[in-house]
Amino acid sequence: MGNKMKRKGFLGMIILVAFGFFFFLLLGVVEDPAAQTKPAEKVKPVAAKPKPKVAQKLIVASGTDALTMDTHFGLDAPTFTILDHMVESLLELTPKGEIVPRLAEKWEVSSDATEFTLKLRKGIKFHDDTPFNAEAVKVNFDRLLDPKVAIRYRFLVAPISTVSVVDDYTLKIKTKAPFAALLSNLTHQATAIQSPTSLKASWDKAVAKPIGTGPFIFKEWVPGNKFVMARNDQYWGKKALLEEVTWRVIPDDASRVVALETGEVHVAVRIPPFDIPRLKANPKLTVLDAASVRTIYLGFNCLKEPFNDKRVRQAINYAVNKEAIVKHVLGGVGRVSDAAISPGIFGYTPIKTYEYNIEKAKALLAEAGFPKGFETTLHPAVGRYYMDASVCTAVAADLLKVGIKAEIKMMEWGTYLPSILREKDQVEHKIYMLGWGCVTGDADYGLYTLFHSGEWPKKGMNASFFKNEKLDQILDAARSTANPEERKKLYKEALTIIHDEAPWLFLHSEVQMVGVQKNVKGIIVHPTERVIAKEAWIE
Amino acid sequence: MSSQYIIRRLLIMIPVLFGVSLIIFTIVRVLPGDPAVVLAGPHATKDVVEQVRIQLGLDKHPVTQYVIFLKNIFRGDLGTSSRTGLPVTQEIMARFPNTLLLALASILVATVLGVLTGIIAGVKQNSKFDYLSMLVALFGISMPVFWLGLMLMLLFSIQLGWFPAVGADSFKHLVLPAITLGANSTAIIARMTRSSMLEVIRLDYIRTARAKGLTEKLVIWRHALKNALIPVVTVIGLQTGTLLGGAVLTEIVFAWPGIGRLLVESILSRDYPVIQGVVLLVATLFIFINLIVDIIYSFLDPRIRYH
Amino acid sequence: MGSSETEYSERKERGRVWEVFRRLSKRVTALIGLVIVLLFLISALIAPLLAPHDPYEHSLAHKLAKPSWDYPLGRDELGRCILSRIIYGARISLLIGLIVISIGIFVGVPVGVVSAYYGGKVDFIVQRFVDTMLAFPGILLALLLIAMLGVGLHNVMIAVGISTIPIYARLARSSVLAIKSRQFVEAARSIGASHLRIILQHLIPNSLSPIIVQSTLHMATAILWAAGLGFLGLGVSPPTAEWGAMLNGGRLYIRVAYHVATFPGLMIFITVLGFNLLGDGLRDALDPRLKT
């Protein structure tokens, strides 16, 4: 009997719960359509959310997440883009390519480019109230130069021999040899100045949150989802108008565009070409375009067969139709590379483009011992560059025509990049995709760490494990020459060697396409591939 | 009686839980390469790799390693994500509520729609409604969820603009993913309810009730339904568990920040600590849901206790 | 009596019409299922004869071209013929389905049969193992195995195949348990037939029909899961023509060129539906007990 009672009780409960379900469903059914058919009654069925009052909270949809909170440990532009709002560099590179003051007010360079004197701005405090002064900057340089700290962008400052505090707001930097690129390098976000208090607490590890002097303060980071920053009301410069900026990670291009169109985000990066006409026709949206200093390439692992053979590398360069990729995959926005760096960078000279020539490619492959091609793998960057995955499938399809079967292996960006940059005996990639933005505007940045044999990972970024002694000499010489004309000549020579040796499949330089809601003003799309929201506002 | 059954059921669960943990434990160890490097991830410096090796006792005997592995699980320590450097538990807990919400909303949709359809189809066997609804149910079972999701998104967010397409910020965001994820279960529950109804309606006491002259409605609602729903409860329970696993595809389509998406991202990142954690959590939950379902079932239908 | 009989027969008549329609339709649906499955098999087997173009021949200039006379389902994001890729994709799906089911049957069935036949401790241990594998809901076990094995065609087949083993083991076990104590098994045992002989000659053949039904339904699941993995980028890698991967590739263009994602998705749906219809039909035909 007891059992039976229990049974009844249970049944009763279940029926009750079921009724609860029905009730909720009814609520849903009755209430929702009424609320939701309203927008449909309008002529244009674009989901618009009328806001009662414009909150100054901006949402930016980016393709990839920040990889670290520590700007010194940063690797990629999306990370630097976010951190730039909180942690500031000493100097700033304007969209036009001029170097202007930021945390450093004035500077002097000795005529042989070995001594740099920096005058710092006064009366600035870090977000943790630590005062900003010459001592604080010195701590940053000490860390950037400390060999015990694994900093990938050390080459930016490596030639520095001493950093000394002259007075509270004056700093003197001496270099071992002439180092003309230093000022450009101090505009790089990897050399930005963090609070010495937080650095000392976490010297050889990445800091848990970014503490700088910038117009925004770190608020929250939900990895893989969003990054939130709030306005710094104590900012030394022009205070931000936005109360809050959220960076939302939407890796999928299509979803990012949809989020922009439905008004869920204010700004979305990398709008695919075929969506641009539609977005431009939308009265609520606009598409900003800006050239980029980024060069996209597929790198070969020159230590692995068959890519240790120059002829194979050249064959692939002939086999891929770069023009068609730019025209049809990128929708014409982009420029086929004719050198390893883009125009507008100091040291750029057009060299040549490998023409699309299947016969030549086949001949070279046959010469190298692969008349029927071979099988290999290709690691694309996913969600990082403009149409990256599509570019890779197009390349793979072209390679198929000369018998090279490249299996595409996807990896998430946050892991992909560090895994490409592993030591030579640990890497698995044969062909990898990367884009290098020459963000300091100087060829030294664009070539040294990518092609110098002293810059093989883990130290630097020469993930092709390329080695050419003559090139090494030229790059070293160009680095320690003060005369600009002399340097230009050397870089031309370097670019010629790189073109001929073909450690890359040279593809194109990018154009940035950023979609923005029309009521959002003041967004800057920087050629160094950064979206800057510091002075933006919502109308 | 019933307590005996529950105890037996609990005892059976223990080896299964151990089995699950053992499978997950083994996986990282059989991967090619040094497990310490695998678990520390591609970011790791040599120091970090060594730290991981010592922490997990990877230099010790496999049995000791397994004991350490279990100890860590019981302490709620699932290791550190090699991708973000955050504790795995923190990563999972940040996303799990979203998946739970999605799964519950889906099962709600599936239960209401599925049970209603199943009852009507069963009672009105061979009617147009029966025929059509079962055909639709078959569609529901055959539909690839990711495709359904895309098509719903195309229609309701892009064309009509009724619901947002991606994200998880409000009730509106929940609608399309919940329908997408629930479609399959709706179909399964509807089919189950229908066949269960049919079986019960044929039973003797229903016939008796009918013969006694009780109205058809009363017969159905008071007698048939009560008994027909017993196996349906089991299916609903099992579907809830399946939905946790099936959320992966839906979460990817709608960029829903749950553990399914976390799992896929982790696989693409080879973030093995997180993969371990997510799989362990979902499997354990599924085992417990099964247990609860079985116990409820044993109350509803005492016969099975003696199996 | 007369009038009530008319009423009765009228009602019955209406019921009978529906009954006939239902039966017919039931047969029709099974028939439709069979036709779909046959079409699927044929296109997989003679793909090169059917496909109007080379499925890997690309032409960026014609990317996303709308369906036309020459390209009935249009062209994809690289300008390849979608119809040809779908036809070739049937090969991949068929291959995956067959291998997956083979793994499930050749490992799962013996395990289940042995477990049921010997009973006792063997059964207990085997069943706990099966329980363990069933504790990974849905596609989760396959995902875990993919995480371990890496992506690619072979690994997809192995991963999905392994995840179906416990289901076949369960099925074989329960059907053997049902017939184990029947007379002919007892008789074989009493004349001293060896275990192996009993298992091979009596138990397996007699538990075959639910396995056939299950396999048909499982073809559907295998195709669905493999496509799901392809969609996640964790399955067969591009440029191989696989339906899930095709759908994923076309997803980006769904606004401007609906056909690139829609047709592969439709093909997955129709094929899976075909196997499900056929499986349901087979169940009704082979296993009258389950007939409703």
Side-chain angles (χ1 to χ4, degrees), chain B residues 80-240:
Chain B
T80 310
S81 160
S82 67
R83 186 164 58 133
T84 61
L86 297 175
V88 173
T89 23
Q90 188 186 331
E91 290 252 6
I92 291 178
M93 279 350 246
R95 312 256 199 135
F96 181 61
N98 291 329
T99 300
L100 197 64
L101 178 69
L102 178 58
L104 289 179
S106 308
I107 203 68
L108 190 87
V109 172
T111 307
V112 172
L113 283 179
V115 170
L116 265 181
T117 315
I119 291 171
I120 299 174
V123 172
K124 299 191 170 178
Q125 198 195 352
N126 303 334
S127 67
K128 270 182 212 165
F129 181 86
D130 180 25
Y131 172 69
L132 273 177
S133 62
M134 285 307 112
L135 196 68
V136 172
L138 208 57
F139 280 20
I141 288 172
S142 310
M143 189 79 79
V145 278
F146 42 96
W147 192 60
L148 177 65
L150 275 182
M151 294 297 136
L152 288 178
M153 191 196 274
L154 191 62
L155 183 62
F156 290 106
S157 8
I158 295 170
Q159 294 297 327
L160 299 170
W162 291 1
F163 300 103
V166 292
D169 299 326
S170 69
F171 174 73
K172 272 190 170 185
H173 284 87
L174 186 59
V175 177
L176 293 184
I179 292 173
T180 305
L181 183 57
N184 204 302
S185 305
T186 310
I188 292 173
I189 292 171
R191 277 162 65 116
M192 186 68 205
T193 310
R194 176 180 176 272
S195 62
S196 173
M197 277 302 281
L198 291 180
E199 216 167 280
V200 171
I201 285 172
R202 287 199 200 119
L203 290 179
D204 284 347
Y205 65 96
I206 299 290
R207 285 201 196 129
T208 324
R210 270 196 189 132
K212 275 200 292 191
L214 296 175
T215 66
E216 190 72 16
K217 262 188 193 154
L218 200 66
V219 170
I220 286 164
W221 291 109
R222 182 170 290 173
H223 298 276
L225 197 58
K226 204 163 78 177
N227 290 291
L229 285 185
I230 292 171
V232 175
V233 171
T234 321
V235 174
I236 293 171
L238 290 179
Q239 285 299 315
T240 312

Side-chain angles (χ1 to χ4, degrees), chain A residues 7 11 264 411-412 415 428, chain B residues 165-166 226 268-270 299:
Chain A
R7 249 179 89 189
L11 260 179
E264 289 164 70
M411 219 191 255
E412 193 260 350
T415 306
E428 57 176 281
Chain B
V166 292
K226 204 163 78 177
L268 285 171
S269 313
R270 310 207 192 147
F299 277 109

